[in-house]
Structure formats: C-alpha cells, structure tokens
Amino acid sequence: MENIDWANLGFGYRDSDFNIRCYYKNGEWGELEVSSSNKIEIHMSATAIHYGQEAFEGLKAFKGQDGKIRIFRMDENARRMQDSSEGTLMAKMPVEKFMEAVRMAVKLNEKFVPPYESGAALYIRPVLFGTSPQIGVKPADEYMFIVFVMPVGPYFKGGFQTTPFVIMREFDRSAPLGMGKYKVGGNYAASLVADKKAHELGYSNIFYLDAKEKKYIDECGAANFFGVKNNTYITPKSSSILPSITNKSLMVLAEEMGMKVERRQVPVEELSTFEETGACGTAAVISPISRIDDYDENKSYVFSKDGKPGPVSEKLYHKLRAIQYGDEPDTHGWVEVLD
Ligand code: PLP
Ligand code: COI
C-alpha cells in the first residue's frame, strides 16, 4: 500500500482493496460478493446510463483513540437509499443487507481507516443503479448495488475554517415536487455548472433558493444550511432538499445543549439577523461560513470577520466529532462499533 499522508487528505477518489457487490435479478437480491476490481461491466443501454436510474449514499467510519472503528448512523443511510429507490422505481436494498455490506466493506479495508490523530475518516459510498437495457423510458428489471470506501479529509478546503458561499438566482437544483429530496445522480449533474461558476468566483459553493418563489434558502449542492441566532438553531424546511442525517443529528445535539431548534422556511433577508451560519453534511461535517454574497442583489452577509467559526458551530462540531470518534459516550445509539 502506498504511504498515505493521513493528515493532509482532501476529499478525492482513492482506490481501496475491496468492494462489496450485490445483484438484483428475477425479482430478488443475490448474496453479497467481495470484489477486488474497481471496474464494472454493464449493458450499454442500462437505465442508469440513459435515464439516470440510480441513487447513492455517503457515510463515514472513524477510528477512535481505543483503536476501534465506529460507523455513524448507517441505518439512516440504508433507509434513505430505500426512499431514493421509491423515487426512481428501483429495487429496494433491504436495510439489514445494506448494513452488512457496509460492515464488510469497512472490515475488509480496515487498513484504509485513517488513524484517530489525523482527524480524517473513511468515506463509505454505497451506490445502486439499473443495469438492464431499456430504450423506452421505463425502469430496469435488474440492479446492481456496490459499496466502496476511501480515506478522506475535509470536503471544503481548510477543514473547520470559515469560507464564503454565494446565492445566485440563475440556477435551480431541484423543483418543489421534484427529486431534490432523493440522493440521485441527476441532482448532482444539475449542480455542476452552478458549482463551477461559484468556484471560479472564489466561493466554496452556491446556496440554491427554492425554485418556485426564489425567496427561501434551500441548501447547497452537497450539504444542508443552518443559521444560529438568539440561542436558536434554524434550518430550512423544504420539499426540495435532501434530509441530511448530519443536520438531523445536529438538531438533537443543539436541543441537548439548551438551544431552541426551528425547522422552517428561511427567507434570504433573514441572513442579516444570523450570528453564525454553516453548511452541514457527511462530507462537509460542519463547514462554517464567513459570508454569503447575494450575487444578483449585490449584497453581502458577513458572519465572521476574523475567519474563525462562531462558538455554537464550534461546540456542535466538537460534540458531533466526539460522538463519531468515540471520545464521548454514544447516548443516542448512533454509532456501531465494529468487532
Ligand atoms: N444535501 C445534499 C444535496 C447532499 O448531497 C448531502 C450529502 O449527503 C447532504 C445534504 C448532507 O446529508 P448527510 O448529512 O446525510 O450526509
Ligand atoms: C456526502 O456528504 O456524503 C455527500 O454525498 C456529499 C457529496 C460528496 C456529494
């Protein structure tokens, strides 16, 4: 194995040794199989390729100070993949089988789980897609499920440091009754142009507004939004955003820290009242925001002048990480410790 610079990993693809595969044929799932190849062979007319019949997940495993590996809330990811399957008419991977595949993928690639001190984690990517041919717009009869893993560092550059984000009204990611609530590839294809423009302008990412009224904050292409004011954690309620498992966890932690939690529409103008804002997700963890520029209105909402994250973001970040790495007891049953 090449020498990995654990402490300086970015969020990029890297091979590991094994991946887990499972095939759905004749109306049922087969056994989990171990593969050491990073290639697949599928029909050129597979529904995944033409009609985007696919869904994926993202979760992490962490190595604790005790050397044990912990997987965070994988049952939630399993259920969300089932929701995505309902939204795309794919065969559903049973929750228990999903979790077993994740456990196998992590165990077989144990040497790729970054050491505790590095602050990095093992990113786990389950993916499900239609493999059999159609040329009319119809669901496939056959599906493939794969779980592969890789060690990763922070998603947004700098890790737990504030970075600027932008609002641009010329792009929508998903419609109110569309696919935004599912973790399907098309949503990410839909975000590439906006992302490119945001990056070229020096921003970490773009926050999309609700596509119908263009009044309320939805999320960015890879993470949910939250704002903090008056001891309250506020996060958008919208039918076009992904129900983030990180956000769901932060809402619980915020409440336990004595904060009020509000899940409701967040009008853009309300940004001027927030003391702190952040993007949250598995890859993003908490990515605190220095400022959000409203590109079309030529306005800037500043949250951190010195580049430092605010105290609530800091506290939430450390609390979440402490649970994930096993530094603090897991009182919610969020963590599975591998044997
Ligand atoms: N929103 C989008 C669009 C995402 O891709 C992700 C990443 O999974 C999230 C939010 C955060 O979700 P989670 O916390 O479950 O990783
Ligand atoms: C995640 O946070 O796991 C994601 O899937 C976000 C992004 C890498 C697509």
Side-chain angles (χ1 to χ4, degrees):
M1 183 167 127
E2 69 201 286
N3 271 341
I4 298 178
D5 183 4
W6 301 109
N8 294 303
L9 287 169
F11 193 89
Y13 178 81
R14 206 178 256 276
D15 274 328
S16 57
D17 287 343
F18 303 103
N19 56 84
I20 309 302
R21 302 176 174 203
C22 193
Y23 300 90
Y24 181 91
K25 271 192 193 113
N26 303 320
E28 60 184 10
W29 285 102
E31 297 299 313
L32 299 177
E33 297 173 18
V34 178
S35 169
S36 56
S37 167
N38 57 14
K39 301 278 195 316
I40 55 170
E41 188 165 285
I42 57 170
H43 198 286
M44 62 186 172
S45 197
T47 59
I49 297 172
H50 297 263
Y51 301 130
Q53 202 193 15
E54 83 85 53
F56 68 98
E57 273 303 326
L59 63 158
K60 279 177 175 170
F62 305 85
K63 188 171 279 174
Q65 225 158 356
D66 54 7
K68 291 193 178 141
I69 297 171
R70 291 167 173 80
I71 307 176
F72 189 69
R73 302 197 83 171
M74 64 172 155
D75 54 322
E76 292 281 343
N77 294 92
R79 279 193 285 273
R80 193 168 64 188
M81 180 166 260
Q82 291 200 332
D83 291 344
S84 298
S85 302
E86 273 176 25
T88 49
L89 287 187
M90 291 198 286
K92 277 195 210 168
M93 172 52 70
V95 168
E96 200 33 67
K97 200 160 197 150
F98 176 105
M99 297 203 294
E100 193 49 31
V102 169
R103 286 183 200 109
M104 280 170 75
V106 175
K107 275 188 200 162
L108 287 169
N109 294 294
E110 203 178 329
K111 66 182 188 203
F112 294 94
V113 185
Y116 173 79
E117 299 73 33
S118 67
L122 188 76
Y123 186 69
I124 304 162
R125 171 55 63 86
V127 59
L128 168 66
F129 48 95
T131 51
S132 56
Q134 294 286 9
I135 201 66
V137 181
K138 292 192 196 74
D141 300 318
E142 294 179 4
Y143 294 86
M144 185 173 185
F145 172 75
I146 310 181
V147 180
F148 59 93
V149 303
M150 73 208 71
V152 296
Y155 189 67
F156 295 119
K157 67 173 187 295
F160 192 59
Q161 255 181 50
T162 62
T163 59
F165 284 63
V166 66
I167 290 168
M168 287 185 284
R169 287 170 188 69
E170 68 186 288
F171 303 105
D172 289 326
R173 172 179 173 275
S174 70
L177 300 177
M179 302 296 279
K181 58 182 182 288
Y182 303 124
K183 201 158 169 67
V184 296
N187 293 338
Y188 300 80
S191 75
L192 292 174
V193 174
D195 242 38
K196 179 166 179 272
K197 183 161 178 184
H199 286 145
E200 281 169 1
L201 292 167
Y203 300 103
S204 272
N205 217 315
I206 168 179
F207 278 113
Y208 297 95
L209 300 185
D210 76 286
K212 188 174 175 193
E213 296 191 71
K214 295 281 197 184
K215 268 169 77 173
Y216 305 103
I217 298 175
D218 256 1
E219 63 171 342
C220 65
N224 278 183
F225 170 84
F226 70 86
V228 171
K229 66 175 171 189
N230 309 327
N231 199 35
T232 309
Y233 179 98
I234 300 158
T235 193
K237 185 177 163 105
S238 161
S239 60
S240 48
I241 65 179
L242 190 75
S244 156
I245 297 159
T246 310
N247 199 2
K248 191 174 167 179
S249 310
L250 292 176
M251 285 188 253
V252 171
L253 298 179
E255 212 157 65
E256 288 175 357
M257 279 163 39
M259 295 180 72
K260 251 178 78 187
V261 172
E262 293 177 6
R263 221 179 123 242
R264 56 161 171 85
Q265 288 180 315
V266 180
V268 182
E269 312 78 67
E270 192 177 356
L271 285 176
S272 64
T273 67
F274 287 129
E275 295 150 16
E276 300 176 34
T277 57
C280 64
T282 296
V285 195
I286 286 181
S287 295
I289 297 170
S290 54
R291 65 170 208 280
I292 300 177
D293 289 347
D294 186 328
Y295 189 73
D296 314 287
E297 304 277 318
N298 212 2
K299 244 172 144 168
S300 202
Y301 301 93
V302 178
F303 305 103
S304 172
K305 289 205 182 71
D306 58 4
K308 291 207 186 91
V312 174
S313 305
E314 181 109 32
K315 215 166 144 189
L316 283 169
Y317 176 84
H318 289 297
K319 185 83 192 166
L320 178 68
R321 303 263 293 177
I323 296 170
Q324 292 174 328
Y325 283 91
D327 294 334
E328 283 188 29
D330 168 31
T331 56
H332 309 91
W334 287 346
V335 166
E336 178 169 315
V337 183
L338 285 185
D339 353 295

